[in-house]
Amino acid sequence: MARVLVGVKRVIDYAVKVRVKPDKSGVVTDGVKHSMNPFDEIAVEEAVRMKEKKLASEVIAVSCGPAQAQETLRTALAMGADRAIHVEVAGKEYETLQPIHVAKILAKLSQDEKADLVIVGKQAIDDDSNQTAQMTAALLDWPQGTFVSKVEKTDAGLTITREIDGGLETIKTKIPAVLSADLRLNEPRYATLPNIMKAKKKPMKKVAAKDLGVDLTPRIKVISVEDPPVRQAGSVVPDVDTLVAKLKEGGHV
Amino acid sequence: MFRPLSLLIINISKHNVASQIKYSTAILPRLSSEKYNIKRKSFGTINESDINHFRSILSENRVITDESDVLPYNIDWIKNCRGQSKVVLKPKTTDEVSEVLSYCNSKKLAVCPQGGNTGLVGGSVPVFDEIVLNFSLMNKVISLDDISGALVCEAGCVLENLDNYVRQHNLIMPLDLGAKGSCHIGGNVSTNAGGLRLLRYGNLHGSILGLEAVKADGTVIDCLRTLKKDNTGYHLKHLFIGSEGTLGVVTKVAVHCPAVSKAVSLGYFGVNTFEDVLQLYRNAKISLGEILSAFEMADNRAICSTVKNLKLTNPLEDYPFYVLIETSGCDEEHDSEKLNRFLSKEMESGHIIDGTVTSEPAKMRTIWNIRENIAEAGLHDGYVFKYDVSIPLNNYYDIVLLLRKKLEGKYTNIYGYGHIGDGNIHINVTVPEYSKEVCDMLEPYIFEQVAKLKGSISAEHGVGFRKPQFIHYSKDESALRLMKDLKHLMDPNGILNPYKVLPDV
């Protein structure tokens, strides 16, 4: 029976249109709807399923961020996590929080909580870094299974199917290990009302990053955030000949 | 049921070419005139000089005459009706609409105005060779007053585009419906479209501040004001709201847009009985009060067949009824406290068996998606008989049960879903293919039942082509007589959307 630690990040909801700040220092987050990173939802779902199959004894959800990160943790608890740890990072520090910091926090908490498995989403949909799982595994010196689309318990550890370019790769790993969840791993459940109610009573611990001994000095500096180029408007041509002429003109044929 | 199909296959192999042609035309819906046995009225017939005249008004590429290009404008999206129009006109301005209509009126050429062609009663497609007047190129926003919320735009603007536009100014459109990605605001106004926000913002007779319309003879009627209050003379705009293009063609509208709600939550619940659905509605009105913005229900078969046909995921297990409750307000904390108190109480009392609630936009969209797709999903079963009726709430669900009994063994599925808050239920009867027998069992039976319960035979879909002969179930003779007088006054030649709305004498 393993204890599973799941990392969950609060990100701008994927149905919201993201706007770049006028000073190009980042994107507008004030008054914008946030929700749990969809890949982290898959990670939580997998951990909860492990618990339901009695492969895991306890599921702990962790989130690093300002007070609102607790909403994301409540969602994880409503999905079935047993308890939550909120690592409080706010203000300027949160703006420059980077995967290396989160990895250090997750590594430290894994040791403190005696976790056997860390599961995170393969990437967050806001910064698309895809680094946290890999860095966490390196810091702990544990094996890693990234882009996981299937996990099975075997005698010695886990058999993992990974999504790789043009196919699937099956690997075996011992535990403890770090996994990162890919899209096809599972379809996350909706938190049901009784579980949403129960989640309100589940324990949530608040800690500060510096209590975990993690230095939050930024390692990367964001120079500029820009909108993707706007697609040019098309035009209607009267007939095929003009179309062909235009295509030739543009060097397309 | 499978026998006719195997016969058809044998046929194809015997007379290969001929049957294949027959087969490919069989995919098209039957001509409305044949299917419903309608006689063409004595309108003019369009000829080459008419076409040339239209070209002189609109330019070459806005007069469509190629048969295959015209075809989509002849068929409604539920593939029930097919007209025989030979020409589609795409005006860009009110003046062009006026010129076209005045010409058509002088030549007694019939016209079928068409918006996004998402109507469900065949009102937006021609029956015979009516000229299709399509508004897709009249799609400009004219002005938006972000203080009063008055949006002025052309009739061909797509509802969803308008919603996206006004949202940039923290406003929303007062109506929302499943067809929002294609339907035009002009069509919404002409049909007095209802939809999902009606409970909160009322119908279009309230939200439309003003409009501009063109009469059959080409006269432009300018009622395009943006005032909330204007009691000067007769309220003419209402004549064009819901008259389905039979009194005039809407070319511009002024819509009152309410402020966008900052805090929106959506709950989706499993409920055991219809009585519980009603009890839940009553309690929601009391406990949620001003933040209640939608209360929808769907029965088990509506949700399950939609989920199955469209390969969606139902967030809940199987329940006899599903209820969707949306709240919209301006203070997340206040609203969620209210909602949570309501939900705990209703869980305790057993009106709600299970459910999920979210305020995450992506999740809300997924849940709405299931509800909004019910209408479309039925088409996967083959053919859908669709009824949209208003029934007093106590008897709201009775007809579904009556129909299941009456049609036993003759249908694929019968389900009911709709806007509880508006007393409006949609009843869909799905069958593998259109059958006159089933149709005769349904009509006028269903309308008689609705009349008996003092309901309306068309709550929000309108009368269109499909229901003029049944309108008397909902409207008194005296009212019908005045409607006919109005029609005669405003369109003496009867060229606007003929064969629709009013029955022949």
Side-chain angles (χ1 to χ4, degrees):
Chain A
M1 295 284 267
R3 178 173 289 135
V4 186
L5 195 86
V6 190
V8 294
K9 182 177 184 182
R10 178 177 177 268
V11 297
I12 293 178
D13 189 276
Y14 76 78
V16 170
K17 196 176 179 308
V18 174
R19 283 179 300 135
V20 173
K21 281 186 192 165
D23 68 358
K24 297 188 177 180
S25 64
V27 298
V28 178
T29 53
D30 283 350
V32 172
K33 282 275 183 188
H34 284 65
S35 55
M36 191 191 297
N37 175 35
F39 291 109
D40 295 344
E41 254 185 331
I42 297 172
V44 173
E45 177 67 31
E46 197 61 22
V48 172
R49 286 187 193 185
M50 283 179 177
K51 188 170 176 207
E52 286 166 348
K53 284 188 241 161
K54 308 230 182 292
L55 299 174
S57 55
E58 189 182 30
V59 177
I60 308 167
V62 180
S63 189
C64 311
Q68 297 95 318
Q70 293 193 3
E71 290 164 22
T72 308
L73 287 169
R74 286 285 169 214
T75 308
L77 294 173
M79 287 174 73
D82 297 290
R83 58 189 172 95
I85 300 172
H86 173 210
V87 182
E88 198 171 24
V89 184
K92 275 269 166 271
E93 268 185 340
Y94 179 62
E95 276 173 29
T96 56
L97 190 71
Q98 287 152 9
I100 182 72
H101 307 131
V102 178
K104 282 181 178 173
I105 290 168
L106 290 179
K108 179 71 170 56
L109 285 173
S110 305
Q111 286 168 329
D112 291 355
E113 300 289 338
K114 300 191 175 51
D116 306 288
L117 203 56
V118 175
I119 313 181
V120 294
K122 70 165 178 177
Q123 67 196 64
I125 59 165
D126 51 1
D127 58 20
D128 278 346
S129 289
N130 174 20
Q131 295 165 2
T132 305
Q134 295 86 333
M135 287 179 175
T136 309
L139 290 165
L140 288 164
D141 198 20
W142 288 2
Q144 58 182 291
T146 47
F147 316 117
V148 173
S149 63
K150 197 173 168 190
V151 187
E152 283 167 304
K153 177 88 176 80
T154 41
D155 300 336
L158 302 169
T159 300
I160 289 164
T161 308
R162 304 180 61 234
E163 304 236 339
I164 56 170
D165 283 351
L168 299 170
E169 181 185 55
T170 309
I171 58 166
K172 284 188 175 167
T173 174
K174 290 183 182 137
I175 51 173
V178 178
L179 307 183
S180 78
D182 211 320
L183 189 66
R184 286 167 200 81
L185 181 58
N186 59 51
E187 198 181 333
R189 71 192 65 191
Y190 284 79
T192 62
L193 269 185
N195 289 331
I196 294 171
M197 306 286 176
K198 270 185 227 157
K200 290 181 181 151
K201 298 191 181 101
K202 288 184 179 175
M204 187 175 315
K205 190 166 86 180
K206 202 161 92 176
V207 296
K210 71 171 185 307
D211 295 340
L212 299 172
V214 177
D215 172 16
L216 295 183
T217 314
R219 303 294 187 85
I220 303 164
K221 190 176 166 203
V222 175
I223 296 166
S224 175
V225 174
E226 317 223 355
D227 274 312
V230 182
R231 192 169 160 260
Q232 300 231 314
S235 62
V236 178
V237 292
D239 51 42
V240 176
D241 290 342
T242 325
L243 175 68
V244 172
K246 287 251 181 200
L247 287 173
K248 277 185 179 154
E249 204 178 288
H252 302 292
V253 285
Chain B
M1 199 187 291
F2 289 104
R3 228 163 254 156
L5 190 66
S6 59
L7 275 178
L8 185 68
I9 293 164
I10 294 163
N11 249 339
I12 289 171
S13 56
K14 265 188 193 163
H15 318 274
N16 213 341
V17 180
S19 308
Q20 255 178 9
I21 293 164
K22 206 172 159 194
Y23 184 72
S24 72
T25 52
I27 300 168
L28 292 174
R30 280 176 65 195
L31 290 175
S32 305
S33 54
E34 291 171 8
K35 189 169 170 181
Y36 298 104
N37 194 20
I38 307 280
K39 292 230 162 12
R40 187 179 183 279
K41 290 183 181 171
S42 58
F43 293 113
T45 312
I46 196 161
N47 57 38
E48 200 50 40
S49 81
D50 298 326
I51 303 270
N52 286 332
H53 187 81
F54 293 137
R55 284 186 179 136
S56 75
I57 302 173
L58 298 177
S59 88
E60 188 90 10
N61 53 15
R62 292 192 280 127
V63 178
I64 300 168
T65 51
D66 183 275
E67 202 183 324
S68 57
D69 289 343
V70 172
L71 185 67
Y73 299 91
N74 269 319
I75 301 174
D76 64 345
W77 80 271
I78 53 170
K79 297 195 168 37
N80 182 49
C81 294
R82 178 156 67 100
Q84 304 159 54
S85 183
K86 304 274 183 282
V87 57
V88 178
L89 305 179
K90 294 191 164 186
K92 274 187 180 169
T93 63
T94 304
D95 287 345
E96 288 177 354
V97 175
S98 165
E99 265 187 78
V100 165
L101 285 183
S102 119
Y103 179 83
C104 290
N105 194 45
S106 69
K107 298 265 173 180
K108 291 205 170 55
L109 293 168
V111 175
C112 173
Q114 186 180 83
N117 194 9
T118 59
L120 295 164
V121 285
S124 58
V125 286
V127 180
F128 289 94
D129 55 348
E130 299 94 276
I131 295 160
V132 175
L133 196 56
N134 182 284
F135 286 86
S136 55
L137 297 181
M138 291 187 68
N139 58 0
K140 282 180 284 298
V141 170
I142 297 162
S143 69
L144 176 66
D145 179 339
D146 58 3
I147 298 174
S148 72
L151 168 78
V152 182
C153 66
E154 293 180 334
C157 292
V158 171
L159 178 60
E160 190 169 30
N161 296 348
L162 290 176
D163 201 52
N164 288 337
Y165 174 76
V166 299
R167 269 174 196 277
Q168 294 169 14
H169 302 270
N170 290 318
L171 301 168
I172 57 165
M173 293 300 285
L175 76 164
D176 182 21
L177 50 154
K180 61 174 167 269
S182 336
C183 65
H184 294 179
I185 189 71
N188 295 149
V189 171
S190 300
T191 57
N192 189 22
L196 308 165
R197 291 177 189 155
L198 194 130
L199 175 68
R200 180 65 166 270
Y201 302 114
N203 72 22
L204 289 176
H205 284 287
S207 305
I208 295 299
L209 300 168
L211 52 76
E212 176 194 82
V214 181
K215 275 202 319 164
D217 64 1
T219 316
V220 179
I221 307 291
D222 182 0
C223 302
L224 195 63
R225 296 297 167 90
T226 57
L227 309 170
K228 277 225 115 176
K229 287 182 164 181
D230 180 13
N231 276 352
T232 49
Y234 303 148
H235 292 220
L236 293 179
K237 67 180 178 190
H238 294 298
L239 286 177
F240 302 100
I241 302 172
S243 54
E244 304 182 44
T246 58
L247 298 181
V249 175
V250 174
T251 45
K252 290 190 187 108
V253 296
V255 192
H256 176 251
C257 300
V260 72
S261 297
K262 273 187 256 159
V264 181
S265 290
L266 185 64
Y268 176 69
F269 311 108
V271 177
N272 254 344
T273 65
F274 186 69
E275 283 67 47
D276 286 347
V277 174
L278 288 185
Q279 198 58 46
L280 201 55
Y281 174 53
R282 186 202 304 245
N283 296 350
K285 278 198 294 184
I286 295 167
S287 306
L288 299 173
E290 78 287 355
I291 62 167
L292 179 65
S293 59
F295 193 108
E296 303 274 315
M297 83 99 201
D299 66 12
N300 178 282
R301 293 193 199 181
I303 294 291
C304 292
S305 67
T306 302
V307 165
K308 196 180 110 220
N309 285 347
L310 300 180
K311 298 186 177 62
L312 304 171
T313 309
N314 187 355
L316 302 179
E317 318 248 299
D318 262 20
Y319 291 98
F321 293 94
Y322 295 92
V323 164
L324 229 143
I325 296 178
E326 188 193 70
T327 64
S328 311
C330 59
D331 184 332
E332 207 159 323
E333 222 168 290
H334 165 263
D335 294 0
S336 74
E337 203 175 299
K338 235 177 182 174
L339 184 60
N340 285 335
R341 219 176 313 139
F342 166 71
L343 294 179
S344 329
K345 209 173 83 193
E346 296 306 325
M347 290 279 288
E348 242 167 66
S349 65
H351 295 135
I352 294 175
I353 305 302
D354 196 3
T356 181
V357 59
T358 179
S359 51
E360 295 176 10
K363 286 222 173 73
M364 292 197 284
R365 192 183 281 183
T366 317
I367 294 173
W368 267 125
N369 202 22
I370 299 176
R371 162 64 188 85
E372 289 180 7
N373 273 309
I374 298 175
E376 190 194 328
L379 292 171
H380 289 246
D381 284 353
Y383 184 85
V384 191
F385 291 96
K386 280 174 183 286
Y387 301 96
D388 156 52
V389 297
S390 281
I391 303 175
L393 285 177
N394 276 331
N395 301 98
Y396 186 85
Y397 195 67
D398 295 0
I399 292 190
V400 175
L401 303 174
L402 280 175
L403 289 180
R404 280 187 192 152
K405 200 181 264 174
K406 188 172 159 76
L407 269 74
E408 212 175 318
K410 308 251 187 238
Y411 64 88
T412 311
N413 219 335
I414 295 181
Y415 44 81
Y417 60 99
H419 321 288
I420 284 273
D422 314 325
N424 175 199
I425 185 167
H426 300 301
I427 299 167
N428 287 8
V429 178
T430 70
V431 286
E433 58 183 334
Y434 175 82
S435 131
K436 183 96 178 41
E437 187 200 352
V438 175
C439 186
D440 289 344
M441 288 175 83
L442 284 165
E443 298 170 17
Y445 174 78
I446 185 165
F447 303 124
E448 287 165 7
Q449 295 302 317
V450 170
K452 221 187 272 174
L453 297 170
K454 302 220 179 313
S456 166
I457 62 148
S458 183
E460 61 176 10
H461 292 173
V463 177
F465 168 66
R466 288 281 287 112
K467 289 176 183 159
Q469 70 272 38
F470 305 117
I471 194 172
H472 68 271
Y473 286 106
S474 286
K475 281 289 176 300
D476 187 71
E477 184 54 42
S478 56
L480 282 174
R481 222 174 297 135
L482 182 57
M483 287 185 199
K484 280 177 187 167
D485 290 347
L486 275 171
K487 170 74 179 172
H488 189 71
L489 176 75
M490 296 177 71
D491 177 17
N493 293 332
I495 62 160
L496 286 180
N497 224 5
Y499 320 102
K500 320 274 173 70
V501 184
L502 294 178
D504 284 324
V505 190

